[in-house]
Amino acid sequence: MEDRRVAVVGGGVSGLAAAYHLHQTQGQEVLVFESENRLGGHAHTVHVETGLDPNTTGVDVDVGFMVFNEDNYPNMVKWFEELEVPYEDTDMSLSISLDQGGMEWSSDGLSGLFANRSQIVKPSFYSFIKEMLRFNENGPLLLGLDPDDPRRSVTLGQYLRDEGYSDAFATHYLLPMMAALWSASMEDVLQFPAEQLMAFFCNHKLLQIFDRPIVKCDILNLSLSTFLPTFLPTFLPDTQHKQWKTVTNRSKMYTEKMASVLGDNLKLSTPIVQVKRIEETGDYELFTTGNVSVGLFQDVVFACHPPQALEMLKAGNNVDDELLLETLEKIQYADNAVYVHSDPKLMPVRKAAWASWNCMGKSDMLTTHNSHSSAKQNEAMEGAQSGFGNKVTTSGKEEEEEIQTTQLEGKDGRMRAVYVTYWLNRLQNLKTDQNVFVSLNPHEIPAPELTHRRQIMAHPQFTTDTQKARKTLNDDFQGKDGLWFCGAWQGHGFHEDGCRSGFQVATELTGIPLPWASNNDNDDDETMEPLMLLPAPDLTLAASNPKGGWVTSLYKTLTYTWPVAICKKFITSFLHIAIQKGRLNLKLNDGCIIGFGDGTPCGSDASAVTLRVFDDWFFVKTALEYDLGLARSYMSGHFVVEGLEDPKEYDSVLRPLNLPDETNTSIGDPVGIIRLFMLLIGNRDAPGPVHKPLKSSQIYASALSNASGLVISKIGSFLNYLFFTLTMDNSERGGSLKNIHAHYDLSNDLFTSFLDKETLMYSCAVFDAVKAPPGQTGMVFRGTLEEAQIRKVDNLLDRAQLEPGMRLLDIGFGWGGLSIQAAKKYGCKVHGITLSVEQKALAEERVKQEGVGDLITFEVVDYRTFARRIENVGAFDRVVSCEMIEAVGHNHLGEFFWVVEQVLKSDGILVMQAITTPESRYENYRTTTDFINTIIFPGGCAPSLHSLVDAAYQQSTLTLEHIDNIGLHYARTLAEWRRRFNANESFVRKLGFDDVFLRVWNYYLTYCEAGFHSQTVNCLVLVFARQGCNALVPLCETRSVSQAKSLTESEVQHWLDESD
């Protein structure tokens, strides 16, 4: 039987590791193809002529892989032992130098720590030291979270914000370290998955004071892969350091030995440009430059960068799986300019701060941007505070490379915030008196006479998208149809990750373990599966071994354990009374499920609503702040609502079967949140038994309205209301402006991501709808959101009896949709007023695009200020206000109607579209706080119909003349917004919005959708005018005062068939 032929594309560490094991085992013939004339990839040894001693020929230095540790590089160390590669002890230290030495410290003793003596008296320096200790202690807790916990998937930028770390900590320590560590730009660093960072730190013992590595500088991606884990420098006594090593006489020692092992099976200077599958046999034919075939192979191991593998497969033009190509495309790499030189200007200013690894940068560019140091730790921010607040390609052409170079190094290069310089004399034990440095993307080019070499090296970028793509590649495509993928990008980007990845592919291909894995002690344990290769250290050990003594334990007991136990008791007792119908399950971390309700149908469907509680602080937040605490707990990632396994169990109106599932780790199931609210509403409004009016039935019915029965929540509710009253008043002198800014000035791009593309109306649309057929509840809708918004706008203008030549005032014009339609359809003059600068800017652009600039003017002004101008008194024929009244506030409703009275002509008409609260709940609603008026629309109030009529009576002569209720249309509108928003998640994240914001926005949209879907919140179109207004005569016509005949069942079915 012929040996199975395996092609390994790439002669870096991954390819060499895979080829070594394949070559050592029987049953396959392996050939290694390397595009360069040497092996090693980033294990690259270069010769430097020092020029100081005429009797020497210079020194060899490594510019990529430099050092390793026996504990953290188990497979590589065993491999070196088999190859008889010698290695020796090395020394490593860290320094940070910012603003040309303005802030400078190193880990090399007290003199290094205070290399800049002025730092002794700087509070910010000690602040970063304190926070470093907190980071080292709390960081591993991220790895102890449940795999599905949304807090585990946050980026580094969000983690720093959520945990309240200061800019001093980020600037003086973590961000320059990270940028140098993975050769990444500052933008990429902030988007780096925090879990990946913490796993790497724990794996390499970097989050502890004692028993830590002295040194580590694996720059497979030409970066140091470690740093001093705390401010405590090497002068502290520590007898259990892990000694770091470097290969004696550089890494060429092991690449040369591998070249000897492979012999004729190694093909240098043979770039693979095309991998083509032979359909008849399933083999792959590989081609090199000039379309020359190098043979047929049953398996192809891509031990190269994924973008390179992508180009080879694309060139073959016969890979049917587009998802594979899309996945490879998402695994990103970036180029870096590498200088080997002897210019000391690229080192710290003070010699006392010189270290093996030196991070040089600019503090003003090392920032978390949206970081809020005043935030409470582990708590979601309110409203606008909640986080809302360049890939370089390689070219072989010399002239294009020069263009690329300007994007890499220099003050405006890819790593313009920070660059790293390695002091090779200290790091690699160089036997020379001349200093030799390696600098990555330096902000200043070293002097030409001191420059030994410049080259470009590409390194993986560990973004969230890359992490997801890597998982998809391993789960769905690894080994499929004989295609294999390995590289350091499969791990943390370092040499052990590379060789482990290559060995893993080789052992899966052969089914034979590595010799050092087969001799492992675990083989004596028959209950364990035999090891194929040595695994990485357990990353969760640090999380399971908390630091601190009895003081820390006592503090946790008093501040967490006891409050949780007390509040959990309160909440479970309360829910047993409040949830009588349906089923609510709380699934806890210990696997326990606490159930409430009798299981009878209640809410939107008959299935149980399950909350997956990840953090027991959920009980504290909810007990102390009731419904607002529930919202804040969800925002903080303490819980999500699990989706139903069978999509058919959902209410078909809430989640049509033909639409994609929106569930993800960050937000859980958004439709599940609606189901939760519907369950709560169903129990809140359920009538109790008449014969027990004062007992449990009445308690639970009122409990979900005002938290009666949950006495402890009264404290938090009172404090929230006090804060609301003092800080969110809608006064004319700044209050309204601040509240409007907090929501509407978030980002025009954010709103365009989910609003309709025609009008950008941020209000209820009017769809083509009929009553649902038998077997369904509510209404069924058809048509697009764009069509529905245009229908709504036309309806409002029709209700206003607008005519050509009239003058219209649009109060709260949004992004100009109604104003533009009025000008285009009727040719009337429109003046719009708002308090949002962002809205005005985009609205004016749209007016210009539509060519109606001569008919429309917009202004940023408070409606009360506007009405006091003499020229505006009695100046308008019509006034339209579309869902602006909710921003007025209960205490200012009369002022609004006074304004309309002032500006409206005698026969004028006001048309208002308003979200309203039922009278039965209004008094309780307006004297408390909730999620919407505190977090989403600060200071907002959805008035009752009675309060509007009363305010009009008290402050004007306007009377209510006509009402339409379009509330059910709002449920559909909100569902459309939510689906569009979640479908555009990647775009929203690129705008700078984080996981907290995604949860905030989903909670907001589903919270409102449930209210309108259950018809416990209304959206009314109201027409006001003075007595005897002749312009309203058309509203008395038969067509306006009579209801159209309802459709028969067959007509409804025909209507539905037309919709399909």
Side-chain angles (χ1 to χ4, degrees):
M1 182 176 178
E2 293 185 0
D3 288 345
R4 187 175 184 86
R5 302 193 81 217
V6 181
V8 176
V9 181
V13 62
S14 302
L16 293 179
Y20 179 78
H21 188 59
L22 292 168
H23 189 73
Q24 299 295 104
T25 55
Q26 296 181 349
Q28 51 273 320
E29 176 190 1
V30 59
L31 271 70
V32 177
F33 298 96
E34 169 56 49
S35 61
E36 297 190 41
N37 62 358
R38 65 173 184 87
L39 284 178
H42 286 227
H44 188 189
T45 303
V46 300
H47 188 74
V48 172
E49 295 290 347
T50 58
L52 292 181
D53 185 351
N55 297 319
T56 65
T57 58
V59 293
D60 289 334
V61 299
D62 278 330
V63 297
F65 166 61
M66 295 186 186
V67 298
F68 59 94
N69 177 275
E70 292 176 339
D71 281 359
N72 303 319
Y73 287 67
N75 291 288
M76 199 191 74
V77 168
K78 293 295 185 182
W79 186 25
F80 280 4
E81 289 177 357
E82 292 233 341
L83 292 174
E84 297 182 347
V85 174
Y87 49 84
E88 61 194 38
D89 294 349
T90 186
D91 175 76
M92 182 58 186
S93 50
L94 158 74
S95 80
I96 300 235
S97 179
L98 303 177
D99 306 325
Q100 297 181 333
M103 201 295 297
E104 201 164 64
W105 68 276
S106 84
S107 64
D108 194 10
L110 276 174
S111 62
L113 183 63
F114 295 105
N116 183 345
R117 299 295 186 258
S118 66
Q119 289 163 186
I120 297 175
V121 295
K122 286 185 177 179
S124 62
F125 191 72
Y126 293 97
S127 173
F128 109 82
I129 290 175
K130 178 182 176 182
E131 291 194 315
M132 193 187 305
L133 290 172
R134 177 163 71 88
F135 178 80
N136 292 344
E137 181 175 351
N138 295 341
L141 300 178
L142 189 68
L143 301 178
L145 298 178
D146 187 278
D148 295 325
D149 193 319
R151 295 169 298 171
R152 188 164 179 160
S153 61
V154 300
T155 63
L156 176 62
Q158 182 179 339
Y159 179 81
L160 293 175
R161 291 195 299 272
D162 291 351
E163 298 297 321
Y165 286 103
S166 68
D167 272 345
F169 167 75
T171 301
H172 295 171
Y173 184 62
L174 192 62
L175 294 186
M177 220 75 63
M178 284 288 296
L181 182 64
W182 276 279
S183 307
S185 67
M186 195 50 50
E187 293 81 0
D188 290 338
V189 164
L190 292 171
Q191 292 302 313
F192 194 92
E195 178 192 7
Q196 181 82 355
L197 166 70
M198 223 59 72
F200 173 77
F201 285 174
C202 291
N203 186 20
H204 292 76
K205 303 179 185 295
L206 303 178
L207 295 175
Q208 59 203 58
I209 296 176
F210 300 106
D211 193 29
R212 67 188 187 279
I214 297 176
V215 293
K216 178 184 181 302
C217 178
D218 173 351
I219 48 172
L220 171 62
N221 64 347
L222 204 70
S223 324
L224 179 71
S225 68
T226 189
F227 55 87
L228 187 68
T230 71
F231 78 95
L232 298 176
T234 54
F235 62 79
L236 283 178
D238 187 352
T239 59
Q240 300 186 42
H241 284 316
K242 305 302 180 187
Q243 180 63 55
W244 290 86
K245 309 287 185 177
T246 187
V247 176
T248 303
N249 297 323
R250 312 287 74 80
S251 61
K252 68 176 183 178
M253 296 297 295
Y254 96 83
T255 58
E256 290 174 354
K257 285 181 178 289
M258 275 303 304
S260 175
V261 169
L262 293 172
D264 293 339
N265 291 51
L266 172 61
K267 309 297 179 183
L268 294 176
S269 301
T270 310
I272 301 301
V273 297
Q274 182 183 156
V275 176
K276 185 175 183 179
R277 185 169 188 182
I278 309 301
E279 295 296 335
E280 295 76 13
T281 62
D283 293 344
Y284 292 93
E285 187 171 11
L286 274 62
F287 296 86
T288 188
T289 306
N291 205 33
V292 176
S293 175
V294 295
L296 295 174
F297 301 87
Q298 284 77 51
D299 292 276
V300 179
V301 179
F302 290 100
C304 52
H305 300 165
Q308 296 169 330
L310 174 66
E311 293 305 316
M312 296 175 205
L313 291 171
K314 278 185 175 180
N317 200 31
N318 63 345
V319 176
D320 297 330
D321 202 326
E322 287 296 324
L323 181 57
L324 170 59
L325 302 182
E326 292 174 7
T327 301
L328 288 170
E329 194 168 22
K330 291 178 181 177
I331 301 176
Q332 302 173 11
Y333 268 68
D335 285 354
N336 293 283
V338 180
Y339 284 87
V340 184
H341 64 94
S342 297
D343 193 341
K345 72 182 179 184
L346 300 185
M347 287 288 284
V349 174
R350 299 166 183 85
K351 194 69 178 283
W354 281 28
S356 298
W357 174 30
N358 306 270
C359 298
M360 323 285 291
K362 309 168 189 174
S363 60
D364 60 340
M365 302 189 73
L366 290 165
T367 173
T368 55
H369 299 293
N370 291 322
S371 176
H372 304 287
S373 58
S374 61
K376 297 178 183 178
Q377 293 175 23
N378 304 315
E379 294 232 353
M381 302 296 290
E382 298 295 286
Q385 299 176 27
S386 183
F388 33 96
N390 61 49
K391 186 176 180 181
V392 184
T393 56
T394 305
S395 171
K397 298 180 181 180
E398 185 175 347
E399 62 272 19
E400 291 182 1
E401 182 175 332
E402 285 302 313
I403 295 175
Q404 180 190 15
T405 296
T406 63
Q407 300 177 28
L408 295 176
E409 60 259 79
K411 63 180 182 179
D412 295 321
R414 191 177 70 83
M415 291 177 65
R416 56 188 177 276
V418 64
Y419 69 93
V420 63
T421 295
Y422 304 100
W423 189 11
L424 300 190
N425 301 66
R426 186 168 182 176
L427 181 62
Q428 298 179 13
N429 303 323
L430 299 185
K431 294 178 174 59
T432 177
D433 293 331
Q434 182 173 1
N435 287 319
V436 182
F437 310 112
V438 166
S439 293
L440 205 73
N441 301 327
H443 295 170
E444 185 177 359
I445 306 302
E449 65 274 14
L450 297 176
T451 301
H452 308 296
R453 180 184 181 87
R454 177 190 176 277
Q455 65 188 72
I456 300 294
M457 300 182 78
H459 310 111
Q461 301 298 293
F462 292 95
T463 64
T464 300
D465 287 344
T466 292
Q467 298 296 94
K468 292 178 180 178
R470 187 178 76 180
K471 185 177 187 305
T472 300
L473 189 69
N474 288 326
D475 292 348
D476 300 340
F477 299 107
Q478 187 70 288
K480 183 179 178 181
D481 298 328
L483 298 181
W484 303 83
F485 304 89
C486 60
W489 52 270
Q490 290 274 29
H492 301 296
F494 300 101
H495 228 64
E496 171 69 12
D497 301 306
C499 73
R500 181 187 291 115
S501 176
F503 284 137
Q504 184 167 350
V505 165
T507 54
E508 289 186 23
L509 267 169
T510 62
I512 299 173
L514 298 175
W516 52 85
S518 61
N519 297 327
N520 192 271
D521 294 339
N522 287 338
D523 288 349
D524 297 333
D525 188 347
E526 297 181 358
T527 63
M528 297 183 65
E529 295 184 5
L531 293 176
M532 301 298 285
L533 69 163
L534 297 181
D538 187 353
L539 303 181
T540 63
L541 289 179
S544 61
N545 293 290
K547 303 172 184 177
W550 68 270
V551 175
T552 301
S553 178
L554 178 61
Y555 178 79
K556 181 179 179 181
T557 299
L558 295 176
T559 61
Y560 186 87
T561 307
W562 285 2
V564 164
I566 294 170
C567 292
K568 185 175 181 180
K569 179 73 172 177
F570 272 107
I571 288 295
T572 53
S573 298
F574 171 73
L575 290 177
H576 276 301
I577 297 173
I579 305 298
Q580 297 286 309
K581 304 291 185 181
R583 186 69 177 177
L584 174 65
N585 292 329
L586 302 182
K587 185 186 293 186
L588 308 182
N589 283 330
D590 60 4
C592 172
I593 297 178
I594 308 174
F596 311 94
D598 59 9
T600 58
C602 181
S604 63
D605 53 61
S607 300
V609 177
T610 301
L611 271 62
R612 175 63 177 91
V613 179
F614 297 107
D615 192 330
D616 286 348
W617 199 250
F618 156 83
F619 294 104
V620 178
K621 294 297 295 179
T622 308
L624 293 180
E625 300 182 77
Y626 193 49
D627 58 337
L628 192 51
L630 181 71
R632 286 173 171 154
S633 186
Y634 175 76
M635 291 160 57
S636 297
H638 295 163
F639 77 92
V640 296
V641 181
E642 292 187 346
L644 298 175
E645 292 186 5
D646 186 357
K648 294 180 181 179
E649 295 182 32
Y650 288 95
D651 182 330
S652 60
V653 175
L654 295 181
R655 182 178 163 190
L657 290 174
N658 63 327
L659 295 180
D661 184 9
E662 300 169 64
T663 304
N664 64 39
T665 302
S666 297
I667 63 174
D669 177 18
V671 179
I673 306 174
I674 303 174
R675 296 178 58 243
L676 170 63
F677 292 139
M678 294 295 290
L679 176 64
L680 297 177
I681 291 170
N683 278 277
R684 181 195 68 189
D685 297 341
V690 176
H691 62 282
K692 292 183 179 180
L694 298 178
K695 296 191 178 182
S696 62
S697 60
Q698 185 173 357
I699 292 175
Y700 79 73
S702 62
L704 289 170
S705 296
N706 55 24
S708 62
L710 191 59
V711 179
I712 193 174
S713 71
K714 298 297 184 181
I715 302 172
S717 297
F718 171 75
L719 293 176
N720 282 328
Y721 183 67
L722 183 63
F723 177 79
F724 171 85
T725 304
L726 295 176
T727 65
M728 299 183 185
D729 179 54
N730 289 296
S731 62
E732 184 177 354
R733 295 183 179 276
S736 290
L737 179 63
K738 179 184 66 175
N739 291 336
I740 291 298
H741 172 75
H743 185 93
Y744 293 96
D745 287 346
L746 287 174
S747 162
N748 284 332
D749 288 334
L750 168 68
F751 288 101
T752 57
S753 72
F754 66 90
L755 298 180
D756 74 287
K757 305 306 179 185
E758 295 293 328
T759 69
L760 289 184
M761 293 298 292
Y762 191 28
S763 52
C764 178
V766 176
F767 290 84
D768 188 8
V770 298
K771 186 178 183 298
Q776 298 183 38
T777 58
M779 302 179 71
V780 288
F781 304 87
R782 69 179 180 184
T784 66
L785 179 61
E786 283 71 17
E787 294 169 342
Q789 288 291 13
I790 292 174
R791 182 181 295 110
K792 182 274 298 293
V793 171
D794 285 342
N795 177 61
L796 293 178
L797 298 177
D798 288 345
R799 289 286 183 264
Q801 308 301 315
L802 195 64
E803 296 178 4
M806 285 186 171
R807 194 172 181 204
L808 171 68
L809 176 63
D810 187 353
I811 302 180
F813 59 80
W815 289 276
L818 186 144
S819 297
I820 292 171
Q821 181 71 353
K824 289 173 61 177
K825 186 173 182 180
Y826 294 96
C828 60
K829 292 276 188 177
V830 183
H831 188 80
I833 60 175
T834 183
L835 288 177
S836 171
V837 177
E838 291 288 323
Q839 285 186 328
K840 177 178 179 289
L842 181 55
E844 287 178 335
E845 288 182 19
R846 300 182 68 235
V847 166
K848 185 177 180 180
Q849 291 172 359
E850 294 291 341
V852 289
D854 59 324
L855 296 175
I856 300 176
T857 55
F858 291 139
E859 182 180 2
V860 175
V861 62
D862 187 278
Y863 62 97
R864 290 158 290 199
T865 304
F866 180 82
R868 290 192 181 92
R869 297 173 184 169
I870 299 299
E871 66 272 19
N872 293 329
V873 175
F876 295 91
D877 300 281
R878 301 290 184 264
V879 175
V880 175
S881 176
C882 185
E883 293 186 27
M884 173 270 181
I885 196 67
E886 300 81 11
V888 168
H890 175 81
N891 294 332
H892 302 281
L893 292 176
E895 295 174 10
F896 177 84
F897 283 100
W898 174 84
V899 165
V900 176
E901 174 92 2
Q902 291 297 110
V903 302
L904 206 57
K905 292 182 178 180
S906 59
D907 59 346
I909 297 172
L910 163 66
V911 175
M912 173 193 298
Q913 183 168 308
I915 298 172
T916 61
T917 302
E919 271 68 18
S920 61
R921 291 191 290 110
Y922 185 64
E923 284 306 308
N924 178 62
Y925 161 76
R926 76 177 188 85
T927 56
T928 57
T929 57
D930 67 5
F931 170 69
I932 297 296
N933 65 21
T934 303
I935 296 174
I936 299 299
F937 296 101
C941 173
S944 68
L945 178 60
H946 176 269
S947 68
L948 289 172
V949 174
D950 186 62
Y953 159 72
Q954 294 289 345
Q955 297 289 327
S956 74
T957 60
L958 299 172
T959 60
L960 179 62
E961 299 286 347
H962 188 87
I963 304 178
D964 293 307
N965 190 339
I966 58 174
L968 284 173
H969 290 264
Y970 219 147
R972 173 61 181 265
T973 303
L974 287 155
E976 288 290 329
W977 288 346
R978 187 197 73 242
R979 291 166 188 150
R980 293 183 181 207
F981 176 79
N982 288 331
N984 287 314
E985 178 185 334
S986 295
F987 174 74
V988 173
R989 288 186 182 276
K990 288 178 181 178
L991 295 176
F993 298 101
D994 59 17
D995 284 27
V996 175
F997 181 82
L998 293 178
R999 289 192 288 271
V1000 168
W1001 216 249
N1002 271 275
Y1003 198 91
Y1004 151 50
L1005 296 175
T1006 55
Y1007 184 94
C1008 295
E1009 183 180 347
F1012 289 109
H1013 185 74
S1014 62
Q1015 297 178 269
T1016 54
V1017 180
N1018 297 317
C1019 186
L1020 305 180
V1021 177
L1022 307 172
V1023 180
F1024 289 87
R1026 298 183 180 92
Q1027 297 181 54
C1029 180
N1030 290 324
L1032 291 179
V1033 169
L1035 293 182
C1036 296
E1037 294 177 0
T1038 302
R1039 62 183 177 88
S1040 296
V1041 298
S1042 60
Q1043 182 174 330
K1045 183 180 179 182
S1046 299
L1047 299 181
T1048 64
E1049 289 186 20
S1050 60
E1051 289 173 329
V1052 170
Q1053 189 57 52
H1054 179 68
W1055 185 92
L1056 291 171
D1057 293 340
E1058 287 183 335
S1059 303
D1060 295 336

